[in-house]
């Protein structure tokens, strides 16, 4: 025989052997029992079945192994039951059998036999079901050993299941009522739980875990009783509320066993209908707070809330019930109480509870923002005093908490109404806060949510604080990953498109609010955040401009209603001028970055917009700033060339300037053009400036002479470039500049500039030919092709109708 | 081949570059267009086309779709894919262009988003047979 550990079960290998031995013996006795059954020998049947059942008296098998043995004997007992039934047909009364089996020597076999006869007895209806069941459930007290007792009572439960005196059952009436059935099951349940709990205290303390595992394996035996109760037709809400639940909870609370409490609470929630839970919420939640401190009550309550959430979604009529029983306030109070009582509940547990409550609230009372805010508020209270959360699990739960309303409402504006939302965000550490901010912006972009009020914009920027500016505790910008930073800031930039309102005054307030926050962003962020703001403001200007235009039209027609609307426009607070002021300040801020090229472009954009609004002084101011930026901050030669082209290109389109202003700016532009570093760049910039003197729009200046002067200047520069090139590189440089200027001559010739004559053009053509043929000149196929296509163009023009040919007639190619 | 514009406000890139490609029997030139002043002016763009000696010139800057056909070739401005603000063009319609080159034939398909609907147009250009 193997050594068995005192008060515990032998090791696994031993278990296998013990089970095998026991099964063999059961088989052995059963064989003889069958023989007795075949011979209708009651006494022998009883004898051998008792011996067989004797194997169940073992204490050495673990619950799993015991179960196997039990199942084997269970099958055999079914044969015996059939035999008993037949015996009663042969004249033996149930009462007699009931007596006989009690002669078995040992109490356990005796009780199994008694239950088996009991089953037949009840079915025969010779005695009221309730009496037999009452007797059996009490007799089973004879077994106090936990495992043996549990299986015995389980057997009782199994054979009685279909014989309970439920409403409308065949056994009801004389046999008893549903009240008796409930009483029977409750009693069996109570006793089984006591046995189950007792297992915890058997054996040495160091084997606690092993015992708990073994207990776990048996839990369904106990839980089954609750299941049976839930299946009883006769148990309606009243009976559940008044009898069943209080009795069950009494046992659950009084047993003071962590494992049992957790399992049974969970069982109750899963097994009974949700409407019952709703109506007994007080009782259930009351029990929750009376459980052992070590019980994971937050999971129990979360399960309950989850089930109720699903129930709420099942049918709209159900929602009214929820309000009627004040489910929300009961649950939220219970949550607070539990957290208070369980002092050492970890933070993640408390947050989890709030997440479950929030999920419930969002499903059941989505329209009650005040409820949602209340839940968040309770969480804030819990977080107060914690500071920044650095537990990663708790942080994850907080993110879940914050994301839930975003996902539910798909509308950040709704979420902005939750006063406690930003307070929770403050408890997130820097990195997580940014993650949350990104989630918020992504929600806006995904749902196409427009933020239409300045105060909402303000609230939004509070939430996005960590993205938009530096704060204490945030890492320096050098430490941040470049790419991540860029992505984040681009996201913020995109956000600007969503801050908009058709009302001009509100729109302006939005712009000011956004700028206020962006200003705090520091030099690295301004380059991302200010450009979209500028364009947003320019769009506002355009809108104002178009509205003004419409109002002007109305003024002209003098129609009565529209007169009213034009006065409205006059009274509006916001004017293009005010927006331009804003724009000037905003673009100015870029000097802090510094970003002169960007600033220059933006100044020019603003100048064009001012031009479109006929605001000459403002347009002039923007040009001034553009020039100042060019002078003081743009020193890279390539950047200078681009900038000059942008300035000239913009200036060329301006119609708002009077003669003086125009002259000043033109003079500046040409001056800077001539001062570019490289000669070819100078040349090109200067000939491009010629367009400043030739505006084809209505009322535009067309000063042919100054155009020619410009082109001649460009020619001189080109010459100088030629000479320089020949000196430094040994041969003349490419002739392309001459060809370009020739093309410009042709342009003005076509457009009717009288100062550009045939002779002028002819002269340049010949010059080019000479240069190209000169030995000093480097051959360049692209220049050749350019000149060739220019000549081709001239020839083509000579063939054209509409008087064009005549003009070109004198030019020889 | 598809053409669309990348905004020049993004990080002030070097947009002075021009590129000339040969596809089939066509030579294409690509340039941003801000250097060609007046902006959007056909004759000035013409000059650039002659300078690069290309059949097709693709340019931008104005955010407005334009396609010109003349004896020398085709000038295409594909407009702007996102319809972003332009100081030059009011109410920019988002647009892009696909060009199909087949032998001596060039077809330009223009896709514009106007009033929420996508409108497609087509422009044909046949290159003259090279002499000799």
């Amino acid at each position: 025989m193997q050594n068995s550990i005192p008060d515990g079960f032998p090791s696994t290998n031993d278990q296998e052997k013990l089970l095998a031995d026991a099964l063999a013996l059961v088989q052995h006795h059963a064989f003889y029992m069958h023989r007795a059954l075949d011979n209708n020998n009651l006494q022998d049947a009883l004898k051998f079945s008792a011996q067989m059942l004797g194997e169940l008296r073992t204490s050495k098998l673990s619950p799993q192994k015991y179960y196997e043995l039990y199942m084997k004997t269970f099958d055999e007992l079914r044969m015996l039951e059939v035999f008993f039934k037949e015996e009663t047909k042969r004249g033996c009364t149930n009462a007699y059998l009931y007596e006989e089996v009690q002669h078995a020597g040992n109490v356990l076999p005796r009780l199994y036999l008694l239950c088996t006869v009991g089953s037949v007895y009840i079915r025969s209806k010779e005695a009221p079901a309730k009496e037999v069941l009452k007797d059996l459930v009490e007799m089973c007290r004879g077994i106090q050993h936990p495992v043996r007792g549990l299986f015995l009572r389980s057997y009782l439960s199994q054979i009685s299941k279909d014989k309970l005196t439920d409403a409308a059952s065949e056994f009801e009436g004389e046999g008893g009522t549903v009240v008796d059935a409930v009483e029977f099951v409750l009693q069996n349940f109570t006793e089984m739980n006591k046995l189950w709990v007792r297992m915890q205290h058997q054996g040495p303390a160091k084997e606690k875990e092993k015992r708990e595992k073994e207990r776990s394996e048996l839990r369904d035996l106990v839980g089954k009783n609750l299941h049976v109760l839930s299946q009883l037709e006769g148990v309606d809400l009243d009976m559940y509320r008044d009898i069943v639940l209080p009795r069950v909870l009494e046992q659950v609370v009084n047993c003071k066993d962590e494992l049992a409490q957790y399992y049974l609470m969970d069982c109750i929630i899963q097994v009974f209908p949700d409407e019952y839970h709703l109506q007994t919420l007080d009782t259930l939640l009351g029990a929750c707070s009376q459980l052992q401190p070590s019980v994971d009550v937050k999971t129990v309550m979360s399960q309950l809330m989850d089930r109720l959430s699903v129930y709420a979604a099942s049918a709209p009529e159900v929602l009214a019930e929820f309000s009627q029983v004040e489910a929300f306030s009961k649950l939220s109070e219970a949550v607070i109480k539990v957290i208070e009582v369980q002092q050492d509940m970890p933070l993640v547990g408390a947050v989890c509870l709030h997440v479950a409550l929030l999920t419930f609230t969002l499903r059941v009372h989505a329209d009650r923002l005040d409820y949602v805010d209340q839940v968040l508020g309770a969480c804030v209270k819990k977080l107060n005093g914690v500071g920044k959360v650095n537990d990663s699990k708790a942080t994850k739960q907080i993110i879940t908490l914050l994301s839930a309303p975003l996902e539910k409402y798909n509308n950040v504006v709704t979420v902005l109404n939750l006063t406690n939302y930003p307070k929770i965000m403050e408890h997130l550490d820097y990195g997580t806060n940014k993650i949350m901010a990104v989630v918020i912006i992504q929600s806006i972009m995904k749902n196409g949510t427009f933020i239409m009020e300045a105060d909402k914009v303000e609230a939004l920027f509070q939430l996005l604080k960590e993205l938009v500016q530096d704060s204490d505790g945030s890492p320096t910008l050098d430490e941040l990953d470049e790419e991540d930073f860029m992505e984040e800031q681009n996201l913020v930039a995109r956000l600007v498109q969503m801050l908009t309102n058709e009302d001009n005054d509100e729109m302006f307030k939005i712009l000011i609010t956004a700028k206020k926050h962006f200003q705090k962003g520091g030099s690295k962020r301004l380059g991302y955040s200010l450009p979209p703001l500028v364009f947003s403001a320019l769009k506002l200007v355009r809108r104002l401009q178009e509205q003004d235009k419409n109002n002007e039209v109305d003024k002209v027609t003098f129609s009565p209603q529209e007169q009213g609307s034009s006065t409205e426009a006059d009274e509006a607070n916001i004017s293009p001028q005010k927006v331009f002021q804003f724009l000037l300040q905003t673009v100015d801020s870029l000097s802090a970055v510094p970003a002169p090229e960007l600033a220059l472009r933006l100044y020019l954009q603003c100048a064009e917009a001012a031009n479109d609004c006929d605001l000459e002084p403002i347009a002039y101011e923007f040009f001034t700033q553009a020039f100042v930026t060019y002078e003081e901050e743009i020193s890279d030669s390539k950047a200078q060339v681009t900038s000059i082209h942008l300035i000239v290109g913009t200036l060329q389109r301006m119609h708002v300037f009077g003669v003086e202003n125009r002259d000043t700016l033109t003079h500046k532009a040409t001056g800077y053009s001539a001062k570019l570093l490289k000669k070819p760049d100078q040349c090109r910039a200067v000939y491009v400036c010629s367009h400043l003197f030739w505006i084809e729009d209505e009322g535009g200046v067309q000063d042919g002479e100054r155009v020619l002067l410009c082109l001649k200047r460009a020619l001189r520069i080109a010459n100088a470039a030629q000479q320089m090139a020949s000196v430094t590189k040994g041969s003349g440089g490419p002739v392309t500049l001459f060809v370009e200027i020739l093309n410009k001559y042709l342009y003005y010739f076509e457009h009717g500039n009288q100062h550009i004559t045939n002779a002028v053009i002819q002269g340049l053509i010949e010059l080019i030919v000479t240069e190209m043929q000169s030995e000093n000149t480097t051959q360049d196929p692209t220049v050749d092709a350019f000149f060739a296509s220019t000549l081709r163009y001239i020839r083509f023009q000579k063939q054209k109708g509409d008087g064009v040919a005549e003009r070109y007639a004198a030019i020889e190619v | 081949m598809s053409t669309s514009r990348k905004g020049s406000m993004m990080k002030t890139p070097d947009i002075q570059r021009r590129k000339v490609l040969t596809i089939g029997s066509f030579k294409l030139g690509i340039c941003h267009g801000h250097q060609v002043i007046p902006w959007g002016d056909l004759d000035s763009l013409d000059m650039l086309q002659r300078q690069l000696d290309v059949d097709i010139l693709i340019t931008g800057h104005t955010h407005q779709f334009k396609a010109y056909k003349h004896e020398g070739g085709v000038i295409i401005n594909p407009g702007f894919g996102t319809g972003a603000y332009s100081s030059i063009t009011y109410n920019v319609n988002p647009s892009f262009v696909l060009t199909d080159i087949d032998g001596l034939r060039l077809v330009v398909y223009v896709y514009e988003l106007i009033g929420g609907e996508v409108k497609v147009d087509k422009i044909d250009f046949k290159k003259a047979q090279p002499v000799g």
Side-chain angles (χ1 to χ4, degrees):
Chain A
M1 274 303 285
Q2 273 74 3
N3 288 329
S4 55
I5 307 156
D7 292 332
F9 300 117
S11 69
T12 327
N13 293 337
D14 300 337
Q15 291 280 313
E16 292 289 344
K17 176 121 194 349
L18 287 164
L19 176 62
D21 290 344
L23 284 170
L25 280 167
V26 164
Q27 188 99 339
H28 173 83
H29 296 302
F31 170 75
Y32 289 105
M33 182 187 83
H34 283 284
R35 231 184 25 191
L37 297 183
D38 291 338
N39 295 334
N40 289 340
N41 186 337
L42 177 64
Q43 291 305 324
D44 275 357
L46 291 180
K47 179 173 117 184
F48 289 117
S49 60
Q51 282 180 348
M52 176 184 76
L53 287 165
E55 292 308 312
L56 288 174
R57 294 175 62 217
T58 176
S59 340
K60 294 207 176 79
L61 287 176
S62 72
Q64 259 197 340
K65 298 286 184 264
Y66 192 94
Y67 173 75
E68 283 191 54
L69 189 62
Y70 165 86
M71 283 315 290
K72 179 85 177 135
T73 48
F74 181 90
D75 291 339
E76 299 301 338
L77 286 173
R78 299 280 67 65
M79 317 281 293
L80 191 61
E81 185 176 344
V82 169
F83 175 74
F84 285 152
K85 191 147 162 231
E86 251 130 60
E87 276 295 288
T88 57
K89 288 202 190 117
R90 285 191 283 268
C92 196
T93 64
N94 280 302
Y96 171 74
L97 278 174
Y98 203 75
E99 252 323 285
E100 276 303 297
V101 298
Q102 292 188 47
H103 293 145
N106 290 308
V107 66
L108 188 70
R110 189 189 315 155
L111 288 170
Y112 271 102
L113 289 173
L114 206 56
C115 289
T116 313
V117 173
S119 174
V120 178
Y121 204 168
I122 296 172
R123 199 167 274 294
S124 75
K125 302 203 180 109
E126 279 178 28
K130 72 177 181 195
E131 307 240 348
V132 179
L133 291 177
K134 189 156 190 293
D135 196 40
L136 289 174
V137 80
E138 287 192 356
M139 296 270 258
C140 284
R141 277 183 209 228
I143 303 296
Q144 287 298 315
H145 181 272
V147 174
R148 296 198 290 266
L150 277 169
F151 277 98
L152 173 63
R153 286 189 178 274
S154 187
Y155 182 69
L156 174 57
S157 175
Q158 272 181 287
I159 55 108
S160 64
K161 204 163 56 172
D162 55 345
K163 301 173 188 77
L164 296 173
T165 55
D166 194 5
S169 122
E170 59 175 293
F171 301 101
E172 197 195 12
E174 286 283 338
T177 64
V178 68
V179 174
D180 300 306
V182 165
E183 187 56 44
F184 165 73
V185 177
L186 281 175
Q187 225 186 315
N188 204 22
F189 163 73
T190 306
E191 293 306 314
M192 282 177 84
N193 194 42
K194 285 182 186 162
L195 290 169
W196 191 39
V197 168
R198 188 176 308 148
M199 274 178 80
Q200 188 66 25
H201 307 288
Q202 287 183 311
K206 64 183 180 189
E207 291 201 338
K208 187 172 146 211
E209 244 179 71
K210 185 167 171 231
R211 271 203 299 285
E212 278 173 5
K213 182 168 176 298
E214 281 160 3
R215 281 190 61 198
S216 254
E217 287 163 9
L218 293 170
R219 64 187 190 185
D220 287 340
L221 294 181
V222 181
K224 191 84 203 304
N225 293 293
L226 297 178
H227 197 258
V228 169
L229 282 169
S230 75
Q231 303 284 30
L232 289 172
E233 301 266 356
V235 174
D236 58 4
L237 174 61
D238 289 326
M239 187 170 293
Y240 173 78
R241 186 185 47 224
D242 299 335
I243 301 178
V244 175
L245 187 63
R247 283 278 294 277
V248 171
L249 285 179
E250 192 188 336
Q251 172 57 212
V252 169
V253 170
N254 289 342
C255 76
K256 293 195 187 344
D257 177 81
E258 182 193 327
L259 200 76
Q261 285 184 338
Y262 180 77
Y263 171 69
L264 290 171
M265 287 303 291
D266 189 51
C267 230
I268 294 170
I269 293 170
Q270 301 299 337
V271 141
F272 291 103
D274 297 316
E275 314 120 67
Y276 286 14
H277 295 320
L278 203 53
Q279 298 295 333
T280 56
L281 213 45
D282 281 321
T283 321
L284 260 183
L285 293 174
C288 278
S289 60
Q290 293 179 292
L291 300 177
Q292 299 299 102
S294 50
V295 172
D296 183 11
V297 69
K298 70 173 186 325
T299 308
V300 170
M301 287 176 70
S302 302
Q303 297 263 42
L304 178 61
M305 287 192 271
D306 287 344
R307 275 194 76 101
L308 291 175
S309 301
V310 172
Y311 178 52
S314 65
E317 311 88 65
V318 160
L319 283 178
E321 254 187 85
F322 276 82
S323 308
Q324 191 220 4
V325 304
E326 291 174 25
F328 173 74
S329 62
K330 287 182 184 158
L331 285 169
S332 57
E333 272 163 33
V335 165
I336 294 174
K337 190 148 176 230
V338 160
I339 293 179
E340 247 174 71
V341 164
Q342 297 204 347
Q343 293 282 343
D344 45 351
M345 188 194 284
L347 186 61
V348 60
V351 182
C352 271
L353 260 176
H354 285 108
V355 170
L357 182 57
L358 185 64
T359 311
F360 169 83
T361 314
L362 287 172
R363 287 231 198 139
V364 177
H365 297 292
D367 54 326
R368 296 292 302 259
L369 273 185
D370 56 332
Y371 281 176
V372 177
D373 210 15
Q374 199 181 318
V375 177
L376 293 178
C379 199
V380 167
K381 271 222 183 82
K382 178 65 191 171
L383 291 170
N384 267 339
V386 172
K388 298 269 184 202
V389 173
N390 45 29
D391 173 282
S392 67
K393 286 198 190 135
T395 303
K396 247 183 155 184
Q397 287 302 318
I398 296 180
I399 294 186
T400 311
L401 190 71
L402 292 172
S403 305
L406 281 176
E407 282 156 17
K408 172 72 189 180
Y409 296 114
N410 279 325
N411 187 333
V412 169
V413 179
T414 311
V415 175
L416 289 172
N417 284 317
L418 300 167
T419 61
N420 287 306
Y421 198 91
K423 293 182 194 165
I424 296 191
M425 275 190 77
E426 271 167 39
H427 288 278
L428 292 172
D429 66 66
Y430 172 75
T432 318
N433 212 310
K434 274 211 303 185
I435 292 174
M436 210 46 231
V438 167
V439 167
I440 290 171
I441 301 183
Q442 284 171 338
S443 169
I444 294 174
M445 306 305 305
K446 186 179 80 156
N447 293 305
T449 315
F450 289 104
I451 321 288
M452 294 173 64
E453 277 137 49
D455 54 349
K456 288 285 179 296
V457 171
E458 175 70 40
L460 177 62
F461 273 103
Q462 290 297 337
L463 295 181
L464 305 177
K465 229 174 5 193
E466 302 289 359
L467 269 189
V468 168
Q469 61 187 90
D470 296 329
S471 56
D472 314 314
S474 57
T476 63
L477 289 173
D478 299 323
E479 293 168 22
L480 292 172
D481 183 72
E482 257 316 312
E483 263 192 52
D484 287 344
F485 182 74
M486 202 166 77
E487 255 191 69
E488 283 166 17
Q489 294 306 314
N490 274 326
L491 200 55
V492 174
R494 287 172 64 196
L495 177 63
V496 175
Q497 309 281 356
M498 307 307 289
L499 312 175
T500 182
N501 195 320
E502 283 184 5
D503 176 87
N504 297 325
D505 291 320
E506 195 62 34
M507 183 66 209
F508 191 61
K509 284 195 195 129
I510 289 175
L511 289 172
I512 293 189
T513 311
K515 174 148 172 277
K516 182 181 78 173
H517 287 275
F518 286 147
Q519 288 291 156
K520 301 183 204 161
S523 57
K524 266 207 170 180
R525 290 191 178 85
L526 290 173
Y528 292 96
S529 56
L530 294 186
L533 201 60
V534 166
F535 283 103
S536 199
L538 285 172
K539 280 195 207 148
L540 176 59
V541 168
R542 229 178 231 173
R543 202 164 73 193
L544 287 165
Q545 187 195 339
E546 286 185 359
Q547 283 169 7
D548 279 347
K549 217 174 4 177
N550 290 340
N551 288 333
E552 300 247 332
V553 170
D554 294 339
K555 279 190 193 137
V556 169
T557 57
F558 288 117
S559 67
Q561 311 114 298
E562 282 141 359
Q563 279 269 297
S565 65
S566 71
T567 26
E568 259 170 34
D570 295 337
E571 282 164 1
N573 289 318
I574 190 59
S575 61
Q577 284 91 331
K578 282 212 176 123
V579 186
F580 280 121
Q581 245 171 19
F582 170 86
L583 280 164
L584 192 59
Q585 287 162 3
T586 307
V587 183
D588 270 349
S589 313
L590 283 170
S591 59
V593 178
E597 291 172 59
L598 179 58
L600 184 112
R601 280 184 156 78
L602 292 175
Y603 280 130
L604 292 175
Q605 291 277 338
C606 292
E608 271 207 74
N611 175 67
D612 293 338
C613 290
D614 291 322
L615 295 167
E616 184 178 358
I618 295 180
Y620 190 79
E621 178 62 29
F622 280 115
F623 261 101
T624 308
Q625 292 304 321
F627 273 118
V628 166
T629 308
Y630 179 84
E631 282 162 37
E632 295 181 1
E633 297 178 62
I634 300 183
S635 50
D636 173 77
S637 346
K638 263 197 179 162
Q640 282 184 338
V641 173
T642 308
S643 302
I644 285 291
H645 277 109
L646 288 172
I647 290 175
V648 173
T650 311
L651 187 53
Q652 195 267 342
R653 295 165 52 80
M654 300 285 108
H655 57 71
V656 72
F657 291 127
V659 173
E660 259 186 56
N661 280 338
R662 198 183 175 82
D663 275 350
T664 312
L665 293 174
T666 306
H667 182 72
K668 266 275 185 215
T670 41
Y672 280 127
S673 298
K675 291 211 204 81
L676 287 170
L677 180 65
K678 300 187 197 148
K679 286 263 181 264
D681 291 332
Q682 275 181 23
C683 175
R684 290 186 174 112
V686 166
Y687 76 57
V688 143
C689 280
S690 67
H691 287 281
L692 292 174
F693 303 105
W694 192 266
I695 315 291
E696 306 233 315
D697 293 333
E698 198 186 299
V701 62
Q702 289 183 359
D703 189 340
E705 197 180 339
R706 289 177 82 175
V707 168
L708 183 58
L709 281 172
C710 236
L711 294 178
K712 282 200 164 152
R713 192 174 177 186
L715 211 45
R716 283 200 297 279
I717 300 174
N719 257 321
Q722 273 284 72
Q723 283 166 10
M724 261 175 60
S726 70
V727 165
T728 56
K729 292 175 192 165
S731 57
V735 150
T736 185
L737 290 172
F738 292 134
V739 183
E740 287 174 36
I741 297 172
L742 171 63
N743 273 275
K744 278 296 164 196
Y745 277 175
L746 289 170
Y747 176 96
Y748 289 108
F749 184 69
E750 285 261 350
H751 286 244
N753 183 342
Q754 301 298 335
H755 288 79
I756 312 279
T757 59
N758 300 339
V760 164
I761 294 177
Q762 195 74 59
L764 186 50
I765 293 176
E766 274 152 31
L767 171 64
I768 293 170
V769 169
T770 315
E771 286 295 325
M772 286 175 84
Q773 287 168 348
S774 152
E775 281 165 6
N776 284 337
T777 316
T778 356
Q779 291 306 321
D780 186 342
T782 50
V783 179
D784 294 341
F786 187 15
F787 190 46
S789 62
T790 311
L791 295 178
R792 209 169 37 240
Y793 172 73
I794 298 175
R795 282 187 207 108
F796 183 80
Q797 295 298 83
K798 279 155 95 70
Q799 307 296 331
K800 243 180 161 180
D802 289 337
V804 177
E806 285 81 35
R807 270 193 275 147
Y808 276 85
I811 303 175
E812 287 170 21
V813 292
Chain B
M1 183 188 79
S2 75
T3 42
S4 53
R5 290 269 134 220
K6 182 176 167 167
S8 61
M9 286 290 164
M10 293 163 70
K11 263 206 163 173
T12 60
D14 178 11
I15 48 177
Q16 317 216 50
R17 278 174 298 181
R18 299 167 177 179
K19 198 155 173 75
V20 175
L21 317 158
T22 307
I23 298 181
S25 54
F26 284 88
K27 274 178 86 178
L28 286 98
I30 305 176
C31 114
H32 178 260
H34 75 287
Q35 319 91 313
V36 181
I37 289 167
W39 292 332
D41 180 87
L42 168 62
D43 294 323
S44 300
L45 287 168
D46 230 6
M47 166 178 149
L48 181 61
Q49 187 162 14
R50 290 197 284 276
Q51 182 171 8
L52 298 176
D53 192 30
V54 293
D55 303 302
I56 306 163
L57 178 67
I58 298 171
T59 176
H61 187 68
T62 63
H63 291 200
Q64 178 159 44
F65 163 72
K66 281 264 159 64
Y68 304 112
K69 204 164 62 168
H70 60 101
E71 35 71 33
V74 177
I75 298 175
I76 302 171
N77 181 335
F80 204 81
T82 68
Y85 175 96
S86 161
S87 56
I88 298 167
T89 312
Y90 279 48
N91 299 326
V92 178
N93 288 320
S95 62
F96 68 93
V97 153
L98 294 176
T99 39
D100 186 45
I101 295 176
D102 185 16
L104 292 174
R105 188 161 166 251
L106 170 86
V107 183
V108 177
Y109 297 94
V110 184
Y111 296 79
E112 283 182 284
L113 184 66
I114 300 177
E117 272 181 48
V118 176
K119 302 219 159 96
V120 187
D121 209 345
K122 192 174 92 153
I123 298 166
D124 261 284
F125 177 72
K126 213 166 169 146
K127 179 171 168 161
Q129 278 282 10
V131 178

